[in-house]
């Protein structure tokens, strides 16, 4: 929202109004928090008599005046009739007089002065119908106006925060503080009591333990304010979707990305598309864009079939309110499908629809079978012309609108949502930026064609499981009591087709139900990609409307770490936001003008230098100025298609801010986390939405090797963020808009792969101690025993209390702990080396996976063993620890009774490692114990060589001990 000099209510977005003296209404004289009279009266009615911002009590005289005013029924009726014409959620448009004063001032832009008069005339013309409407509504009796007002629930907040009960949260925080104190005492003891006989082992263990403690702090404290949220869809409908009135719900553009249809089956992508088209949302507010980054004719032809089947599927879903609305998953449900169904025709229509879907699947499968072998001359379309995407790395941009603009309707004659196929242009020599580049191309295409204010991106294998998911998100994004400052609403990722034991923590339950919920109480959850509804204005690099402006002075001081430090000369975030303010002032009323010609429009836009940021497209630039979205009514669809083709050109982003400041940010394979980080640095906040019925569901790799490669990709992306200019350790301090708990969360997100180095060393220590007869802990005193016992108890109690407020099961926590070790000693370790190789030498290492066939139908993929280098480190650790346990027991048997006491501690730690790696061992052996020979050979070889060399060198034996041993050996008489 642009600055107009007129105070605007922070709650509803309307003018705060004037008091009896003709001055702006002020409820709190301590902080001047902007709130209008109606919202102020509503707060008093609810019993809130203190300021929402500073907590100061309201003035008693003001309270008395308001009580007198509310007691007068005629005054209330007059107030209702006065506020009827604009409505609670109408976008505020500043007056021309304010614009005139700004443009003629010292800081104004003289280019615009000669156009102010024409703007005034156009504005007056636009105001006349509104005045007539006010006069017409003034004639309506107050009683009738009261009847026309929405239900009382419509004035209530659309979402609320439900704090965790103090009985659960207070003990949790107390134990965390106690654990910190115990850690301090523990490290004091560890540092002051070295083990001289094994100094190297002791020093290694202390360094590892310090890093683990640091990592725990980074992970624990962002969860300091866990909250639950509750959304009210009925209130959303009462406010924006009233029967008999124009629908005011915000439009949403869906992005679905796919690359290779042979690896990402078209049937799965089609189910995702069908679930989107059948949403419980106004059809004119839904648009689905399919990004085909592989330019595959198979994807295009499958969408043709999908668009045809959608004409039958969508009305069936809406008629019988079925869930989920992805046909493959709906028909495969093992439930009583007649539950809650009362229409007599349901069984007959369901049987017919299932038959239609089976025929549709046969047609899709036939297309897939045909695409297995590419013709030598390339693919040819039905009209005989060659397919433009025969060369996936060198082809023009392609856009095809299947539904929506073409006027296609379903079998009942109802309108269908838009379905658009997009394949961006690719040419040799251009950097295409993989997934992030494809998403940015969709942002520009959708802005030219539909320009919805919100964007929801889904992976091609994630379908809509809850048809009201978008309404759940709108309860947060369209809430007048804070929705304007929300950059995105993130839903948890839920998965189908996972084995009951969930051997490799594929659901990530601890992350989504504990970490994300814990961060929701500070500045919001991190952006984790699929299942996220984004504010388009936040993607364009703008700051939140209610945030105070950055100072425009030439020097500024970093509020957190650099007091008095002058701003660098190169463009910084402060400079960019200040520059953006000037552009906002220059184009103040640009979006309010509908009648200027095309030449004048392009000339005005070019004068503001928007091309340097958004690129050379006047249509796209104009769309960025529409905070409520939408396309100009006078726009020609054919012209918009041509403009959409232009904005997906491979050279469009050159010398612009795309991927640097706007859109999905380039520089990391986890572009979603980096993009969310940039939004939070600008002052936006995010929301975590967990409806009772999961909003989206997808598939997850259940095979060990595939799961490790997935974790490798995430870890590599985090390292790329840490090694870039966007490192959370220093980026974003200038504005002071990133809360410190949120910064800790992002630091933890970017440094967690480094834990693999101390983790693999720590997991090797038990075996080394067993093989050398040394130990990392000295003989324990009573105080040391109490410290160790207190530390273990604090770890256990923290986990138990965390499970209590989060609702996660202890099995999920244990599986997460196991896979943290498995992933840490394999995928995270490789990610560290690959990240440094890429940064220092520019070497991009790729790990390939070769699959074998599975014999089992149920979860057969779970038992497939695929060769990958990621399997070697954990396999070696398992063998080394097993060898160490055998060697330890053999040594104890030889030395007698005195050796069993020290052996217990060493064997305990070794079993701790083996127990954490047990799911890995189980997956490595497979159902028929068919482990690849190369894995066994390499692991046994490395373990044997390492053990023998270590015993031979024995570097942790002190000099005195080695001298004694050599003298003893020399005195032996053979």
């Amino acid at each position: 929202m642009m600055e107009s000099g007129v105070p605007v209510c922070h709650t509803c977005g309307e003018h705060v109004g004037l008091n009896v003296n003709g001055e702006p209404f002020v409820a709190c004289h301590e902080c001047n928090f902007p709130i209008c009279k109606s919202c102020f009266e509503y707060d008093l009615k609810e019993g809130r008599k203190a300021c929402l911002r500073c907590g100061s009590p309201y003035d008693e005289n003001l309270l008395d005046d308001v009580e007198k005013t509310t007691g007068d029924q005629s005054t209330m009726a007059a107030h209702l009739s006065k506020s009827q014409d604009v409505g609670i959620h109408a976008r505020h448009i500043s007056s021309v007089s304010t614009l005139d004063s700004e443009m003629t001032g010292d800081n104004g832009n003289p280019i615009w002065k000669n156009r102010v008069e024409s703007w005034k005339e156009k504005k007056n013309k636009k105001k006349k119908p509104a005045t007539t409407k006010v006069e017409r509504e003034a004639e309506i009796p107050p009683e009738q106006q009261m009847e026309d007002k929405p239900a009382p629930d419509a004035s209530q907040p659309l979402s609320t925060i439900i704090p965790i009960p103090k009985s659960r949260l207070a003990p949790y925080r107390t134990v965390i503080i106690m654990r910190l104190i115990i850690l301090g005492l523990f490290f004091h003891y560890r540092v002051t009591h070295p083990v001289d006989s094994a100094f190297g082992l002791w020093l290694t263990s202390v360094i590892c333990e310090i890093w683990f403690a640091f990592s725990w702090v980074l992970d624990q404290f962002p969860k300091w304010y866990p909250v639950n949220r509750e959304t009210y869809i009925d209130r959303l409908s009462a406010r924006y979707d009233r029967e008999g009135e124009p629908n005011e719900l915000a439009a949403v553009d869906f992005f679905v990305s796919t690359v290779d249809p042979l690896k990402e089956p078209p049937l799965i992508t089609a189910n995702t598309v069908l679930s989107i088209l059948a949403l419980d949302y106004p059809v004119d507010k839904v648009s689905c864009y399919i990004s085909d980054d592989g330019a595959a004719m198979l994807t295009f032809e499958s969408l043709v079939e999908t668009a045809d089947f959608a004409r039958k599927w969508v009305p069936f879903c809406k008629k019988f309110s079925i869930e989920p609305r992805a046909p493959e998953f709906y028909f495969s449900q093992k439930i009583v499908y007649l539950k809650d169904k009362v229409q007599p025709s349901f069984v007959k229509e369901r049987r017919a629809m299932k038959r239609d879907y089976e025929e549709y699947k046969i047609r899709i499968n036939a297309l897939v079978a045909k695409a297995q072998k590419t013709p030598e001359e390339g693919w040819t379309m039905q009209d005989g012309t060659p397919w433009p995407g025969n060369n996936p790395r060198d082809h023009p941009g392609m856009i095809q609108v299947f539904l929506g603009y073409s006027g296609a309707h379903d079998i009942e004659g109802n309108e269908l949502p838009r379905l658009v196929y997009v394949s961006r242009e690719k040419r040799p020599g251009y950097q295409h930026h993989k997934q992030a580049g494809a998403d940015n191309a969709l942002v520009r295409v959708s802005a030219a064609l539909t320009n919805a204010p919100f964007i929801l991106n889904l992976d091609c294998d994630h379908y809509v499981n809850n048809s009201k998911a978008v309404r759940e998100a709108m309860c947060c994004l369209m809430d007048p009591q804070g929705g304007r400052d929300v950059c995105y609403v993130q839903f948890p990722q839920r998965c189908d087709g996972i084995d009951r034991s969930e051997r490799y923590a594929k659901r990530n339950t601890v992350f989504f139900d504990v970490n994300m919920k814990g961060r929701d109480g500070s500045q919001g959850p991190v952006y984790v990609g699929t299942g996220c509804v984004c504010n388009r204005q936040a993607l364009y690099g703008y700051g939140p409307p209610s945030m105070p402006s950055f100072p425009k002075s030439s020097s500024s001081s970093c509020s957190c770490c650099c007091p008095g430090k002058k701003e660098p000369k190169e463009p910084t975030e402060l400079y960019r936001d200040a520059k953006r303010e000037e552009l906002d002032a220059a184009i103040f009323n640009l979006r309010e003008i509908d009648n200027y010609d095309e030449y004048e429009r392009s000339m005005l836009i070019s004068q503001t230098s928007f091309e340097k940021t958004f690129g050379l497209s006047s249509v796209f630039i104009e769309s960025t100025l529409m905070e409520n979205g939408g396309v100009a009514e006078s726009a020609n669809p054919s012209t918009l298609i041509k403009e959409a083709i232009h904005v997906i050109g491979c050279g469009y982003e050159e010398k612009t801010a795309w991927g640097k400041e706007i859109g999905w940010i380039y520089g990391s394979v986890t572009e979603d986390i980096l993009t969310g980080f940039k939004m939070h640095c600008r002052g936006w906040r995010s929301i975590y939405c967990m409806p009772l019925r999961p909003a989206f569901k997808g598939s997850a790799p259940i095979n060990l090797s595939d799961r490790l490669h997935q974790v490798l990709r995430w870890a590599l992306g985090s390292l790329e963020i840490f090694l870039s200019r966007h490192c959370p350790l220093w980026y974003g301090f200038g504005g002071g808009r990133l809360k410190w708990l949120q910064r800790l969360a992002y630091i933890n997100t970017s440094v967690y792969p480094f834990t693999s180095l101390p983790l693999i060393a720590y997991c090797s220590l038990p075996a080394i101690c067993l093989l050398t007869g040394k130990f990392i802990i000295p003989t324990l005193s009573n105080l040391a025993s109490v410290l160790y016992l207190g530390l273990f108890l604090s770890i256990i109690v923290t986990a138990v209390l965390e499970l209590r407020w989060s609702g996660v099961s202890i099995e999920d926590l244990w599986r997460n702990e196991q896979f943290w070790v498995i992933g840490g000693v394999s995928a995270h370790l490789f990610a560290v080396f690959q990240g440094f190789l890429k940064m220092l030498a520019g070497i991009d290492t790729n790990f390939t996976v070769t699959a074998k066939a599975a014999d089992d139908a149920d979860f057969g993929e779970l038992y497939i063993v695929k060769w990958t280098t990621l399997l070697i480190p954990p396999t070696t650790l398992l063998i080394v620890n097993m060898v160490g346990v055998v060697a330890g027991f053999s040594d104890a048997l030889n030395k007698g009774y005195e050796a069993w006491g020290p052996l217990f501690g060493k064997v305990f730690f070794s079993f701790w490692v083996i127990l954490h790696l047990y799911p890995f061992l189980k997956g490595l052996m497979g159902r028929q114990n068919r482990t690849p020979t190369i894995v066994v050979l390499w692991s046994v070889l490395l373990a044997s060589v390492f053990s023998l060399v270590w015993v031979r060198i024995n570097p942790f034996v002190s000099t005195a001990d080695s001298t004694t041993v050599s003298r003893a050996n020399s005195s032996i008489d053979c």
Side-chain angles (χ1 to χ4, degrees):
M1 182 174 294
M2 298 185 181
E3 299 177 8
S4 62
V6 181
V8 176
C9 177
H10 186 272
T11 301
C12 66
E14 297 298 314
H15 289 293
V16 297
L18 304 177
N19 57 19
V20 293
N21 300 326
E23 299 176 350
F25 176 76
V26 178
C28 177
H29 295 280
E30 296 292 333
C31 65
N32 294 328
F33 181 65
I35 185 172
C36 65
K37 287 184 179 180
S38 57
C39 294
F40 177 66
E41 292 170 1
Y42 177 77
D43 285 349
L44 295 182
K45 183 180 177 181
E46 294 294 317
R48 295 190 289 269
K49 297 186 178 182
C51 177
L52 293 174
R53 174 182 289 176
C54 64
S56 303
Y58 292 129
D59 187 8
E60 293 293 337
N61 298 328
L62 183 61
L63 296 176
D64 295 339
D65 294 341
V66 172
E67 289 176 359
K68 292 179 182 178
T69 304
T70 54
D72 190 352
Q73 187 68 27
S74 61
T75 306
M76 176 61 73
H79 172 72
L80 287 173
S81 62
K82 183 179 180 180
S83 62
Q84 177 86 8
D85 62 313
V86 269
I88 242 177
H89 295 282
R91 176 68 71 173
H92 169 64
I93 299 178
S94 305
S95 63
V96 178
S97 59
T98 307
L99 171 68
D100 193 9
S101 63
E102 280 199 31
M103 293 301 104
T104 55
D106 295 336
N107 295 328
N109 190 339
I111 296 176
W112 300 81
K113 292 181 181 179
N114 58 349
R115 309 186 187 275
V116 172
E117 294 301 326
S118 62
W119 288 356
K120 288 181 180 179
E121 294 176 3
K122 295 174 183 177
K123 190 67 179 175
N124 291 334
K125 290 180 181 178
K126 292 177 66 177
K127 280 186 175 181
K128 287 181 180 180
T131 307
T132 306
K133 181 181 177 181
V134 172
E135 294 174 355
R136 185 168 61 252
E137 291 184 353
E139 300 173 0
I140 302 176
E143 294 81 2
Q144 185 176 345
Q145 293 186 25
M146 288 291 289
E147 293 177 0
D148 293 340
K149 295 295 285 184
D153 282 344
S155 61
Q156 299 289 329
L158 304 181
S159 64
T160 57
I161 295 177
I162 303 177
I164 304 296
K166 290 186 178 179
S167 60
R168 297 184 179 182
L169 203 55
Y172 175 66
R173 292 173 175 172
T174 303
V175 170
I176 291 174
I177 299 300
M178 292 178 59
R179 184 172 171 181
L180 268 180
I181 297 173
I182 294 173
L183 274 174
L185 297 174
F186 170 78
F187 284 121
H188 178 268
Y189 169 80
R190 290 284 281 143
V191 173
T192 56
H193 292 75
V195 181
D196 296 329
S197 59
F199 186 80
L201 292 175
W202 168 83
L203 182 61
T204 303
S205 66
V206 170
I207 293 175
C208 294
E209 289 162 0
I210 292 175
W211 178 265
F212 294 151
F214 172 70
S215 179
W216 171 77
V217 169
L218 292 180
D219 180 69
Q220 186 68 64
F221 278 90
K223 299 182 287 188
W224 191 258
Y225 296 106
V227 296
N228 293 313
R229 291 187 183 270
E230 188 172 346
T231 55
Y232 306 101
I233 297 179
D234 53 343
R235 297 179 185 176
L236 179 78
S237 300
R239 186 185 292 269
Y240 297 113
D241 194 13
R242 295 188 289 270
E243 189 175 356
E245 298 184 17
N247 189 285
E248 297 179 357
L249 288 171
V252 181
D253 288 338
F254 283 78
F255 293 174
V256 180
S257 300
T258 182
V259 179
D260 188 352
L262 298 180
K263 294 182 179 179
E264 300 165 335
L267 189 62
I268 299 300
T269 304
N271 272 268
T272 301
V273 172
L274 291 169
S275 67
I276 294 171
L277 299 179
L279 275 172
D280 182 11
Y281 207 71
V283 293
D284 59 324
K285 303 297 179 72
V286 176
S287 301
C288 181
Y289 292 85
I290 310 299
S291 172
D292 179 17
D293 221 30
M297 187 173 172
L298 173 58
T299 303
F300 181 86
E301 290 183 331
S302 65
L303 282 180
V304 174
E305 295 289 345
T306 302
D308 183 64
F309 179 72
R311 296 184 177 94
K312 303 176 183 178
W313 175 251
V314 172
F316 171 77
C317 293
K318 295 187 176 182
K319 180 178 180 180
F320 298 107
S321 302
I322 66 169
E323 297 283 359
R325 298 189 177 181
E328 182 70 23
F329 302 95
Y330 169 69
F331 289 121
S332 62
Q333 289 182 115
K334 297 179 181 179
I335 61 173
V336 181
Y337 62 85
L338 296 177
K339 185 179 180 181
D340 302 328
K341 297 296 183 294
V342 295
Q343 295 94 328
S345 62
F346 172 69
V347 175
K348 181 179 179 180
E349 293 192 33
R350 184 184 186 275
R351 189 180 298 116
M353 182 55 61
K354 187 174 183 180
R355 183 177 62 252
D356 291 339
Y357 178 65
E358 295 295 334
E359 294 174 355
Y360 163 74
K361 285 175 63 176
I362 292 174
R363 293 194 298 269
I364 295 294
N365 292 335
L367 293 175
V368 174
K370 177 184 174 183
Q372 296 297 321
K373 185 177 181 180
T374 305
E376 295 181 0
E377 65 278 6
W379 296 107
T380 304
M381 293 187 289
Q382 292 182 354
D383 59 357
T385 58
W387 171 247
N390 277 323
N391 186 349
R393 298 181 181 179
D394 186 5
H395 65 85
M398 295 178 284
I399 295 178
Q400 175 65 48
V401 181
F402 289 107
L403 299 175
Y405 287 117
S406 61
H409 293 76
D410 61 26
I411 57 175
E412 297 182 359
N414 299 318
E415 185 181 355
L416 287 169
R418 296 176 182 87
L419 177 61
V420 185
Y421 170 86
V422 179
S423 182
R424 58 180 173 146
E425 181 185 15
K426 286 189 175 182
R427 301 295 182 190
Y430 287 90
Q431 179 62 258
H432 301 294
H433 301 289
K434 299 181 181 179
Q435 177 70 40
D439 287 338
N440 284 337
L442 287 183
V443 171
R444 298 191 293 271
V445 169
S446 61
L449 299 182
T450 52
N451 195 32
F454 300 108
I455 295 170
L456 197 159
N457 62 299
L458 286 175
D459 290 345
C460 64
D461 60 345
H462 277 67
Y463 64 92
V464 181
N465 183 64
N466 184 347
S467 62
K468 298 184 183 295
V470 176
R471 293 180 181 267
E472 298 274 0
M474 291 302 115
C475 288
C476 303
L477 292 166
M478 299 184 70
D479 194 340
Q481 298 188 9
R484 295 182 303 163
D485 294 342
V486 178
C487 56
Y488 60 83
V489 174
Q490 178 69 59
F491 289 92
Q493 297 178 11
R494 306 302 189 194
C495 299
D496 287 323
I498 296 179
D499 55 300
R500 297 185 187 91
S501 63
E502 201 191 354
R503 187 182 296 173
Y504 310 123
K506 294 171 286 292
R507 289 191 176 93
N508 295 309
T509 306
V510 173
F511 175 76
F512 285 112
D513 291 11
V514 179
N515 294 49
M516 297 285 273
K517 190 186 294 186
R519 295 170 184 175
D520 196 16
S522 53
Q523 201 172 343
V526 296
Y527 176 24
V528 292
T530 182
C532 183
V533 187
C534 287
N535 187 325
R536 189 181 284 267
Q537 291 293 312
L539 277 175
Y540 287 159
Y542 295 112
S546 64
M547 264 291 178
S549 303
F550 280 129
K552 296 185 181 181
S553 58
S554 60
S555 63
S556 61
S557 58
C558 299
S559 58
C560 299
C561 62
C562 305
K565 182 179 178 180
K566 291 186 177 181
E567 183 180 3
K569 292 182 179 180
E570 64 270 16
T572 62
E573 201 162 336
L574 293 176
Y575 172 78
R576 284 190 297 269
D577 278 12
K579 198 70 178 174
R580 199 169 287 123
E581 276 186 28
E582 296 175 4
L583 292 176
D584 285 348
I587 57 166
F588 197 94
N589 260 11
L590 183 60
R591 72 190 64 189
E592 301 173 21
I593 304 173
D594 294 330
N595 300 323
Y596 53 85
D597 55 29
E598 190 68 27
Y599 173 75
E600 182 182 11
R601 177 185 314 192
S602 61
M603 195 169 111
L604 295 180
I605 291 176
S606 64
Q607 288 172 351
T608 60
S609 300
F610 265 65
E611 295 92 341
K612 296 180 181 178
T613 302
F614 296 108
L616 298 172
S617 172
S618 59
V619 172
F620 176 74
I621 291 174
E622 186 180 0
S623 71
T624 65
L625 307 178
M626 301 177 182
E627 295 182 11
N628 287 332
V631 180
E633 296 180 359
S634 59
N636 185 357
S638 61
T639 304
L640 294 180
I641 291 291
K642 292 179 181 178
E643 196 67 24
I645 291 289
H646 167 61
V647 298
I648 60 173
C650 56
Y652 182 85
E653 295 183 356
E654 288 191 349
K655 299 181 180 179
T656 65
W658 283 102
K660 302 171 186 175
E661 299 299 328
I662 62 175
W664 273 267
I665 307 302
Y666 303 149
S668 172
V669 293
T670 53
E671 68 283 338
D672 39 21
I673 294 178
L674 182 55
T675 303
F677 175 59
K678 295 274 285 188
M679 293 179 185
H680 283 136
C681 287
R682 296 187 185 107
W684 294 92
R685 64 186 183 90
S686 55
I687 286 179
Y688 194 52
C689 186
M690 296 180 64
L692 294 178
R693 180 179 179 86
F696 309 99
K697 278 190 175 182
S699 59
I702 65 174
N703 176 265
L704 174 60
S705 300
D706 293 342
R707 173 70 166 140
L708 289 178
H709 276 269
Q710 182 189 54
V711 175
L712 170 64
R713 179 181 176 275
W714 294 343
L716 181 59
S718 296
L719 275 172
E720 288 174 337
I721 296 174
F722 180 80
L723 300 174
S724 70
R725 68 182 184 93
H726 295 109
C727 180
L729 288 173
W730 54 74
Y731 184 84
F733 273 108
R737 296 184 173 185
L738 189 68
K739 296 182 180 180
W740 70 276
L741 285 180
Q742 195 74 358
R743 185 175 294 279
L744 283 183
Y746 277 110
I747 292 174
N748 181 52
T749 302
S750 60
V751 304
Y752 77 89
F754 290 110
T755 307
S756 61
L757 299 176
L759 182 61
I760 198 167
Y762 208 71
C763 289
S764 304
L765 287 177
I768 296 173
C769 292
L770 287 168
L771 292 172
T772 60
K774 307 298 178 182
F775 201 38
I776 58 176
I777 301 173
T779 304
L780 295 181
S781 61
N782 292 334
L783 177 61
S785 301
V786 171
L787 283 177
Y788 276 95
L789 182 62
L791 181 60
F792 280 113
L793 286 177
S794 66
I795 294 173
I796 295 172
V797 174
T798 303
V800 170
L801 294 176
E802 204 166 72
L803 297 180
R804 191 180 174 208
W805 64 254
S806 66
V808 176
S809 67
I810 192 170
E811 182 182 4
D812 289 328
L813 182 68
W814 173 238
R815 292 299 187 196
N816 181 79
E817 186 74 15
Q818 286 180 311
F819 195 77
W820 175 75
V821 176
I822 295 171
V825 299
S826 57
H828 297 173
L829 181 67
F830 277 77
V832 171
F833 288 109
Q834 186 176 353
F836 278 105
L837 281 175
K838 188 175 181 180
M839 182 190 69
L840 299 177
I843 300 174
D844 192 4
T845 307
N846 294 318
F847 299 95
T848 58
V849 181
T850 303
K852 295 183 180 180
D855 297 330
D856 300 282
D858 296 332
F859 305 112
E861 184 75 13
L862 178 66
Y863 305 103
I864 296 177
V865 180
K866 302 179 181 180
W867 159 244
T868 170
T869 50
L870 299 178
L871 302 178
I872 294 178
T875 306
T876 305
L877 278 177
L878 272 171
I879 296 176
V880 167
N881 276 277
M882 291 178 180
V883 170
V885 171
V886 174
F889 276 102
S890 300
D891 186 63
L893 290 172
N894 292 331
K895 290 185 178 179
Y897 179 77
E898 295 80 5
W900 287 97
L903 177 67
F904 174 77
K906 303 173 188 178
V907 172
F908 171 79
F909 284 114
S910 190
F911 272 117
W912 177 88
V913 175
I914 296 173
L915 194 61
H916 278 77
L917 293 176
Y918 176 73
F920 173 84
L921 177 62
K922 196 172 181 181
L924 191 66
M925 301 305 293
R927 176 165 286 182
Q928 287 86 23
N929 300 334
R930 294 176 301 174
T931 304
T933 307
I934 190 171
V935 176
V936 178
L937 289 178
W938 272 103
S939 301
V940 172
L941 178 63
L942 290 176
S944 303
V945 171
F946 178 76
S947 303
L948 293 174
V949 171
W950 196 273
V951 173
R952 180 68 180 87
I953 297 176
N954 206 6
F956 294 111
V957 177
S958 62
T959 305
D961 292 343
S962 60
T963 305
T964 305
V965 172
S966 61
R967 289 178 180 175
N969 291 336
S970 61
S971 62
I972 297 176
D973 187 8
C974 296

